[in-house]
Amino acid sequence: MNFLEKRIKKDGKVLSEHVLKVDSFLNHQIDPNLMLEIGKEFAERFANDGVTKIVTIESSGIAPAVMAGLFLKVPVVFARKRKSLTLNGDLLTASVHSFTKNETNEISISKKYVNKEDRVLIIDDFLANGQAALGLVEIVQQSGAKVKGIGIVIEKSFQQGAQILTKQGLRVESIARIASLDNGEVTFINEKVEELV
Amino acid sequence: MNFLEKRIKKDGKVLSEHVLKVDSFLNHQIDPNLMLEIGKEFAERFANDGVTKIVTIESSGIAPAVMAGLFLKVPVVFARKRKSLTLNGDLLTASVHSFTKNETNEISISKKYVNKEDRVLIIDDFLANGQAALGLVEIVQQSGAKVKGIGIVIEKSFQQGAQILTKQGLRVESIARIASLDNGEVTFINEKVEELV
């Protein structure tokens, strides 16, 4: 298990076979030092990809994305979940349905901050069915920029997201990959492999 | 001028006598290195206050708050702007009206993450009329925790917020303090003083 998987085992709460709660260190209360480690890990994995910009989505993507930006020395742009009155100018937009919250949001970024010269790393906290990541890919591609990869803090590998993105030729790098949440327990992909060896 | 004031002069856009746009480095595109400097500055100003927790509000408060948390070695809790379906348990809530967006939001944090033993530093990106900061003070005080101070990235000193908070006995530390946005130009409080000397 890596540093994040250990933390999930220690502090994550399995609420059902589909829901893992990590609001004590990732998406409500945030552990800044863990975010630093996560940012460093993303930066190492994408160190040779010529990334010029990171794109994420409010709110829980911001902390890991900013730390990755710190190590990769590139700016971070966060997509907003609806059109803000103070964001003027032309926007790139996509629709994203959240099954967790059972709602559809328009997500948007300003055209000013991503353009066709950019090589973009997309970062988000969770990957489940892939809807948010697909929305981010869509707006980045609208700008003409190239998506160099998708960095995910926690992937629920038992849902479709990673497969859908990979089939589109996108590179997905997830720091923790959850094979199952059955029986109130978190099992990681690597753990299963380790058991088999 | 300090590092942030210089950056505002360089990259901020004055849209009117009341609106300063800093979405190229703070609240849409984020400069991670600037956030690090801001976090360090907050940590220095509150180094001797025994801060145990930072409370901020999504989304633009998160990056500076997490960097401050990194230096102060304390967790960060961000208030959400409406009740999330995946946030279970008891919530501390307050109503906050945004004049910029012309809407009222319920902001909330989980009772689990702030309690009466905590000494809280509140951090936000902007201080204008003080509504968001007052909402955050309200939910922190509901928990029984002590508010040790309010760290603000950019204070519009020509609006009422700082005064209202200070009158309540709260310590406000703003890294950039804007005296006016008249004539399409940013003038800082310190600049005015420097002119007089």
Side-chain angles (χ1 to χ4, degrees):
Chain A
M1 283 192 289
N2 65 26
F3 68 96
L4 178 60
E5 291 167 339
K6 281 178 196 158
R7 184 62 176 270
I8 291 168
K9 284 271 189 188
K10 184 170 159 274
D11 292 329
K13 295 231 160 75
V14 179
L15 296 191
S16 75
E17 285 173 11
H18 294 91
V19 181
L20 171 70
K21 207 169 166 180
V22 288
D23 69 350
S24 67
F25 58 91
L26 180 60
N27 49 20
H28 182 34
Q29 181 167 259
I30 299 171
D31 176 340
N33 215 55
L34 182 71
M35 296 304 120
L36 192 76
E37 283 187 86
I38 287 169
K40 198 176 168 195
E41 179 70 28
F42 283 136
E44 282 170 7
R45 295 194 190 193
F46 292 95
N48 302 315
D49 294 279
V51 171
T52 60
K53 198 148 286 185
I54 292 171
V55 171
T56 187
I57 184 164
E58 62 181 356
S59 292
S60 308
I62 294 174
V66 168
M67 291 303 187
L70 192 67
F71 286 101
L72 287 170
K73 300 185 198 312
V74 298
V76 173
V77 180
F78 69 87
R80 293 188 179 273
K81 275 184 186 151
R82 53 170 177 170
K83 197 174 165 174
S84 157
L85 296 180
T86 49
L87 262 184
N88 290 318
D90 288 342
L91 298 175
L92 304 164
T93 63
S95 280
V96 171
H97 184 73
S98 163
F99 291 99
T100 322
K101 295 186 181 174
N102 191 26
E103 61 185 22
T104 300
N105 280 300
E106 201 74 14
I107 66 167
S108 64
I109 58 175
S110 166
K111 279 184 186 169
K112 269 190 297 184
Y113 300 124
V114 184
N115 62 60
K116 63 179 165 46
E117 272 77 44
D118 279 318
R119 293 178 295 277
V120 174
L121 168 58
I122 289 170
I123 285 183
D124 204 4
D125 60 336
F126 265 98
L127 177 62
N129 48 61
Q131 297 306 296
L134 284 168
L136 291 170
V137 169
E138 191 183 327
I139 54 180
V140 169
Q141 288 177 341
Q142 279 172 30
S143 77
K146 199 169 163 52
V147 177
K148 295 300 289 184
I150 298 162
I152 297 294
V153 181
I154 302 176
E155 174 190 310
K156 291 174 178 169
S157 310
F158 56 88
Q159 287 182 254
Q160 302 299 309
Q163 252 185 301
I164 292 168
L165 295 166
T166 307
K167 269 190 191 157
Q168 293 195 8
L170 296 159
R171 177 178 161 208
V172 179
E173 290 283 347
S174 306
I175 304 182
R177 300 179 68 208
I178 296 175
S180 114
L181 295 172
D182 293 350
N183 308 315
E185 230 179 90
V186 187
T187 309
F188 297 104
I189 294 271
N190 293 336
E191 257 180 307
K192 282 201 165 168
V193 174
E194 282 160 19
E195 274 170 30
L196 291 171
V197 172
Chain B
M1 283 191 289
N2 64 26
F3 67 96
L4 178 61
E5 291 168 338
K6 281 177 196 160
R7 184 63 176 268
I8 292 167
K9 283 271 189 189
K10 185 172 159 272
D11 292 328
K13 295 231 160 73
V14 179
L15 296 190
S16 76
E17 286 174 10
H18 293 93
V19 181
L20 171 71
K21 208 171 165 177
V22 288
D23 68 353
S24 67
F25 58 91
L26 180 60
N27 49 21
H28 182 33
Q29 183 167 258
I30 300 172
D31 177 341
N33 215 57
L34 183 71
M35 295 306 119
L36 192 76
E37 282 187 84
I38 287 170
K40 197 176 169 192
E41 179 70 29
F42 283 136
E44 283 169 6
R45 295 193 190 192
F46 292 96
N48 303 315
D49 294 279
V51 171
T52 61
K53 197 146 288 186
I54 291 171
V55 170
T56 185
I57 184 165
E58 62 180 357
S59 290
S60 308
I62 295 174
V66 169
M67 291 303 187
L70 193 67
F71 285 102
L72 288 170
K73 300 184 200 310
V74 298
V76 173
V77 180
F78 68 88
R80 294 188 178 273
K81 276 182 185 153
R82 52 169 177 169
K83 194 173 168 178
S84 158
L85 296 180
T86 50
L87 261 186
N88 291 317
D90 287 342
L91 298 174
L92 303 164
T93 65
S95 282
V96 171
H97 184 73
S98 163
F99 291 99
T100 321
K101 296 186 180 174
N102 192 26
E103 61 184 23
T104 301
N105 282 299
E106 201 75 13
I107 66 167
S108 65
I109 57 174
S110 166
K111 279 184 187 169
K112 270 190 295 186
Y113 300 124
V114 183
N115 62 59
K116 63 179 166 42
E117 272 76 45
D118 278 317
R119 294 177 295 277
V120 174
L121 168 58
I122 289 170
I123 285 184
D124 205 3
D125 60 337
F126 266 96
L127 177 62
N129 48 63
Q131 296 306 299
L134 284 169
L136 290 171
V137 168
E138 191 182 329
I139 54 179
V140 169
Q141 288 177 341
Q142 278 172 31
S143 76
K146 199 167 163 56
V147 176
K148 295 301 288 184
I150 298 163
I152 296 293
V153 181
I154 303 176
E155 174 188 311
K156 291 174 176 169
S157 310
F158 56 88
Q159 287 182 255
Q160 302 299 310
Q163 253 184 300
I164 293 169
L165 294 167
T166 307
K167 270 189 191 156
Q168 293 196 8
L170 295 159
R171 175 178 164 207
V172 179
E173 289 284 347
S174 306
I175 303 182
R177 300 179 66 207
I178 296 175
S180 112
L181 295 172
D182 292 352
N183 309 313
E185 231 179 271
V186 187
T187 310
F188 296 104
I189 295 270
N190 292 336
E191 257 179 309
K192 283 201 163 166
V193 174
E194 282 160 19
E195 272 171 31
L196 291 171
V197 174

